[in-house]
Amino acid sequence: MSTPTQLSSALAGRRLVLALDRRAEELAAALIRHGAEIQHAPAMSMIPHVDDPQLLARTAELIALPPSLLIATTGVGVRGWFEAADAAGLAPSLRAALAGTRVLARGPKARGAAQQVGLTVDWVAQEGTSAEVIAHLAGQDLTGIRAAVQHHGSGADGLDEALQGAGAEVVALTVYRWGPPRDPAAVHRSVLDAAAGAVDAVLFTAAPGTENWLVAAEQAGALPEIAARTRAGELVMAAVGPLTAAPLEARGMSALLPARSRMGALVRAVVQHFDPTAQKDLS
């Protein structure tokens, strides 16, 4: 594997823990370009359901009786759903069935993925929360409406219940779910290192991963020192967005957040935190 092109030395001498599974190598490469040393400690895993007979059966149901409403919650979920449909030879029929469907996206990533698979997105929740989607639908009479909800890794965040409460018939699509870390020992080592001062920053990209890493720290007895180092400014907790940072905030720890909830923006935020002179277009 070729060495990433060096863009700056803003993170030279800095050791960063990546407490994420999906796209970890991509994020690591971006940080290494600024001189960082990377420690991988994915605090959760993604378990795909693309071969799940129930997912394919519900996809076939939607093709036979297209929904009036589709809520796309994540980019990886939308792409995974269409990949599963494609593998089963259903993708063209699914695309055609959804041609007249009103599509709501829970955030820009879900919107981008929906557009990539050929769907027209009618509305997007700018902050990427299910609460925004529920608020957007509040007051609408959905009696008799057939609504499909693509669940994210932790479930539906009350979307199914809100739709059913408004009278809709809900078809739930579970494309993947979050599972335990594949390497608990790596997570354990990372929390001890963070507590001991051997780590400069920990990066998170999904709330379940943040929660799992913090629980591992609690179980190892390392959380008090991690919290103290964070509050003293000796350890940076960096999260891709407010939802991802919520478990940190709940424990009284602030998080470094990028201007936009994107991987590239997270890299820029971390680079500029450690080197305020770094150009804003570095990525």
Side-chain angles (χ1 to χ4, degrees):
M1 185 174 66
S2 61
T3 302
T5 302
Q6 199 73 17
L7 295 178
S8 82
S9 59
L11 300 178
R14 302 292 184 180
R15 189 179 187 192
L16 277 56
V17 168
L18 303 189
L20 56 136
D21 183 13
R22 195 175 66 85
R23 297 181 66 188
E25 293 301 329
E26 177 185 341
L27 183 56
L31 294 164
I32 289 170
R33 290 188 182 100
H34 297 284
E37 177 188 345
I38 301 300
Q39 181 176 349
H40 289 280
M44 66 180 185
S45 59
M46 188 179 74
I47 302 172
H49 284 229
V50 293
D51 295 324
D52 185 356
Q54 186 176 71
L55 175 63
L56 295 178
R58 290 186 174 177
T59 300
E61 290 174 14
L62 294 173
I63 291 171
L65 185 59
S68 300
L69 177 66
L70 167 65
I71 298 177
T73 65
T74 62
V76 65
V78 172
R79 286 189 294 271
W81 181 29
F82 271 79
E83 287 168 5
D86 187 52
L90 298 174
S93 299
L94 177 59
R95 214 170 269 111
L98 297 176
T101 298
R102 178 164 63 119
V103 179
L104 308 184
R106 194 198 67 150
K109 290 182 182 178
R111 174 183 58 189
Q115 291 172 335
Q116 286 173 1
V117 300
L119 303 182
T120 299
V121 177
D122 299 277
W123 179 83
V124 59
Q126 292 301 320
E127 297 299 321
T129 68
S130 296
E132 287 174 272
V133 180
I134 293 171
H136 178 71
L137 293 171
Q140 297 184 30
D141 183 7
L142 302 180
T143 303
I145 290 292
R146 186 168 169 81
V149 181
Q150 173 257 312
H151 288 192
H152 59 77
S154 299
D157 281 348
L159 287 167
D160 289 2
E161 293 80 2
L163 289 165
Q164 289 166 344
E169 172 198 350
V170 176
V171 179
L173 301 162
T174 301
V175 184
Y176 68 97
R177 63 182 174 86
W178 298 128
R182 294 188 176 90
D183 188 354
V187 179
H188 182 71
R189 284 193 301 272
S190 74
V191 301
L192 295 181
D193 287 347
V199 168
D200 296 287
V202 186
L203 278 65
F204 305 96
T205 58
T210 310
E211 180 64 27
N212 285 359
W213 192 86
L214 292 170
V215 168
E218 290 170 345
Q219 292 173 343
L223 189 60
E225 188 57 38
I226 288 173
R229 292 193 65 230
T230 300
R231 294 182 188 119
E234 299 169 356
L235 176 64
V236 174
M237 296 293 186
V240 76
L243 291 178
T244 301
L248 291 162
E249 301 287 351
R251 291 169 173 84
M253 288 181 277
S254 61
L256 175 68
L257 299 176
R260 301 172 67 231
S261 297
R262 301 285 191 281
M263 287 281 220
L266 179 61
V267 171
R268 287 191 289 275
V270 171
V271 167
Q272 288 162 23
H273 174 84
F274 287 107
D275 183 1
T277 66
Q279 296 180 13
K280 291 186 180 298
D281 59 351
L282 287 177
S283 60

